Amino acid sequence: MGKVASSSIYYSLRFCYIGPVIHGHAFGPRSKHFEIRRLYKYFQKGGHLKVITLVREPVSRNISAFFQNFKRFTGKEVYEWDQHLIDLKAIFIENFHHDGPLIWFDKKIKKVFGIDIYEDEFPAEGYTSMKNGSVEILAIKHDLPNELKEKIISEFIGIKKFKINDTNAGSDKVYKDLYSAFKQEVKLPKPLLDHLTNSTYFNYFFNDMREKVYSKWCETTD
């Protein structure tokens, strides 16, 4: 899914893996990207794929995705924004598709590859891998240290040296100041947090973060 640091993994792998490395948020024959359509044909013929996906706590992930697509939701560029944070909060709550990460594994992994990531308990180490036929899936928590991600991915891919160079971080974007203010000052309604944290996605990957999420984001604890 988007806004989980997948770009960093992609660009870093391109430097050290001799085979094709492709980055995308969906996989199928009607993709707008030629490389993905070609790879899908290879997959349909039984070609072996290794899929790496990262997972991120859904509140933080959704806020990051909202700012990445700021104009789509607000109708303005970031530099044109002249309203209060409370107005931006209302747009985020009302206009953003909050269920994106909650349904992603069912729509993008299970439906396409026949792998149910939720079949077994998620390991405390923060990553898991599953296989179905010619496809292997690696799911890693977004907030694991880069050194650990490098080790996990090296073993999964079968390469000796892999170094992650961070790219596409929100803190480096043109919207970084407004993004930072939003994260520091905005609180969200409890029903929205309840919806996100009661999901299969959250309970599988982030159940240990429930108290932290409510403490950070909830506008009321009643």
Side-chain angles (χ1 to χ4, degrees):
M1 65 188 74
K3 304 313 297 178
V4 294
S6 56
S7 293
S8 297
I9 302 297
Y10 165 65
Y11 286 111
S12 300
L13 272 175
R14 287 183 61 185
F15 282 107
C16 60
Y17 183 67
I18 61 172
V21 181
I22 296 174
H23 181 239
H25 301 305
F27 186 64
R30 290 186 290 276
S31 172
K32 63 181 180 180
H33 301 292
F34 169 72
E35 285 186 324
I36 292 179
R37 296 198 303 271
R38 183 171 62 179
L39 188 65
Y40 186 79
K41 290 182 180 179
Y42 167 81
F43 162 66
Q44 289 291 90
K45 295 177 181 178
H48 184 223
L49 302 181
K50 292 201 172 190
V51 180
I52 300 171
T53 182
L54 293 99
V55 293
R56 185 176 181 181
E57 176 268 300
V59 182
S60 299
R61 181 266 166 196
N62 284 353
I63 291 172
S64 179
F66 174 71
F67 274 87
Q68 178 74 27
N69 301 279
F70 192 89
K71 188 175 182 180
R72 181 195 305 174
F73 296 108
T74 66
K76 295 182 178 183
E77 300 287 357
V78 173
Y79 59 80
E80 298 175 318
W81 184 258
D82 56 0
Q83 296 168 251
H84 296 293
L85 280 176
I86 193 171
D87 301 309
L88 194 57
K89 168 184 170 179
I91 293 172
F92 171 70
I93 292 171
E94 295 170 12
N95 295 355
F96 188 80
H97 178 53
H98 298 278
D99 283 3
L102 311 188
I103 62 177
W104 195 84
F105 277 95
D106 286 329
K107 291 186 65 176
K108 307 297 185 180
I109 298 297
K110 185 177 180 179
K111 185 176 180 181
V112 178
F113 300 115
I115 294 177
D116 183 0
I117 200 73
Y118 305 124
E119 187 175 298
D120 297 315
E121 185 176 348
F122 188 64
E125 291 78 8
Y127 67 97
T128 188
S129 61
M130 302 181 75
K131 184 176 182 179
N132 182 25
S134 62
V135 180
E136 294 179 76
I137 300 286
L138 173 65
I140 313 173
K141 275 192 172 182
H142 160 276
D143 58 354
L144 289 183
N146 275 359
E147 293 80 5
L148 180 53
K149 289 180 190 173
E150 291 163 358
K151 179 178 182 295
I152 294 165
I153 292 172
S154 294
E155 293 174 354
F156 181 70
I157 298 295
I159 54 179
K160 291 184 178 180
K161 294 184 179 180
F162 175 56
K163 176 72 174 176
I164 296 174
N165 298 301
D166 291 326
T167 60
N168 201 31
S171 58
D172 298 329
K173 297 296 186 71
V174 66
Y175 54 73
K176 64 180 181 180
D177 292 335
L178 187 59
Y179 178 50
S180 178
F182 191 97
K183 291 191 295 180
Q184 290 177 18
E185 300 179 32
V186 167
K187 300 295 182 181
L188 299 172
K190 186 173 182 294
L192 174 58
L193 298 182
D194 289 343
H195 174 70
L196 294 172
T197 61
N198 287 330
S199 65
T200 300
Y201 172 80
F202 187 91
N203 283 312
Y204 183 71
F205 291 110
F206 303 104
N207 197 41
D208 60 337
M209 292 184 64
R210 186 177 303 274
E211 183 176 339
K212 182 179 179 180
V213 166
Y214 278 88
S215 175
K216 165 66 177 173
W217 296 111
C218 193
E219 59 188 10
T220 177
T221 57
D222 295 337

